[in-house]
Amino acid sequence: MTTSEDLDDLDALTALADGVRRQAYRVVADGTAPVGRDEVAEALGIGRTLAAFHLDKLVTAGLLETSYARRSGKTGPGAGRPAKLYRATVTEHAVSVPPRSYRTAAELLAEAIELAGAEDELHRVAERHGRQATACADAQELLAGHGYAPAADGPDRVELRNCPFHRVAEQFPPTICGMNLAMINGLLAGAGLAGEWTARMEAAPGRCCVALTRAA
């Protein structure tokens, strides 16, 4: 049976069917900070009005959210009007036909692991799974391929802007975040990058609980 939530998710994903709109979403999602209309227009080679149209459609669909700030950093009279800025929401959208509930299964398994005290075994399995990664010379490329949306924070640090396990991690943070760290360590080892980068727990709002730092 299709629920109203399923239909909302379908509407959100349908908003990405338009090619220009999909590219606009990617520009915002790939940004390390909220993005303005002018930046999207320049990146896509379209007019500012058209960029604003597509961005606002994405807001209506629940894929982006807005804020306002003066890009010049000035305040007070003469500082100009605040710019409308966009960033990707953390809300997840998924559609399955027929309906499936993999998240419920993940939540039940995470709860069972906590009750059984089997976190160490989970971490070993996660690291072993990560070690199956193929060789890769670039840590950001490696982690982007696994949904982490990495972004460089200087030459020696990489933040992961997306947690692929966000909803389950919210409910079972020690178990899932520990699993996540173990899997990333495995990915780095499997790709041949363990000697170059170190994964460590650095929990912060709005991003993955793990960050990479360049090995000494």
Side-chain angles (χ1 to χ4, degrees):
M1 179 179 178
T2 302
T3 67
S4 60
E5 183 178 349
D6 292 331
L7 294 175
D8 289 342
D9 285 342
L10 181 59
D11 288 342
L13 296 177
T14 300
L16 295 173
D18 181 276
V20 175
R21 197 169 302 160
R22 189 163 58 249
Q23 292 179 59
Y25 176 80
R26 178 52 56 195
V27 171
V28 176
D30 287 347
T32 57
V35 175
R37 295 170 172 177
D38 291 337
E39 294 162 82
V40 173
E42 181 178 354
L44 301 187
I46 60 176
R48 185 177 186 275
T49 300
L50 182 58
F53 169 79
H54 285 297
L55 289 167
D56 288 337
K57 286 289 186 182
L58 292 168
V59 172
T60 301
L63 296 168
L64 300 181
E65 60 188 12
T66 61
S67 61
Y68 292 85
R70 289 187 172 90
R71 306 306 294 273
S72 65
K74 298 178 180 178
T75 59
R81 295 175 58 187
K84 188 174 185 179
L85 306 177
Y86 301 82
R87 65 179 178 184
T89 66
V90 297
T91 305
E92 297 176 12
H93 299 281
V95 178
S96 176
V97 181
R100 297 288 187 258
S101 188
Y102 300 114
R103 193 180 76 213
T104 299
E107 291 168 352
L108 292 172
L109 289 168
E111 184 175 355
I113 287 167
E114 284 195 352
L115 291 173
E119 290 89 349
D120 288 346
E121 186 63 32
L122 172 64
H123 299 167
R124 283 191 288 271
V125 171
E127 183 173 0
R128 187 165 66 246
H129 176 80
R131 284 178 177 272
Q132 298 175 13
T134 56
C136 180
D138 187 291
Q140 291 192 59
E141 179 183 340
L142 170 71
L143 295 172
H146 287 80
Y148 286 98
D153 182 26
D156 299 320
R157 188 170 182 277
V158 174
E159 288 188 351
L160 308 179
R161 294 169 297 163
N162 182 59
C163 173
F165 317 108
H166 175 69
R167 293 291 288 272
V168 187
E170 282 188 316
Q171 292 183 265
F172 306 96
T175 298
I176 302 303
C177 292
M179 177 198 77
N180 187 34
L181 176 61
M183 192 172 81
I184 291 174
N185 276 322
L187 288 170
L188 293 172
L193 293 167
E196 183 178 352
W197 293 96
T198 300
R200 63 183 74 242
M201 198 72 73
E202 289 188 18
R207 62 173 174 83
C208 177
C209 61
V210 176
L212 303 187
T213 54
R214 195 175 294 276

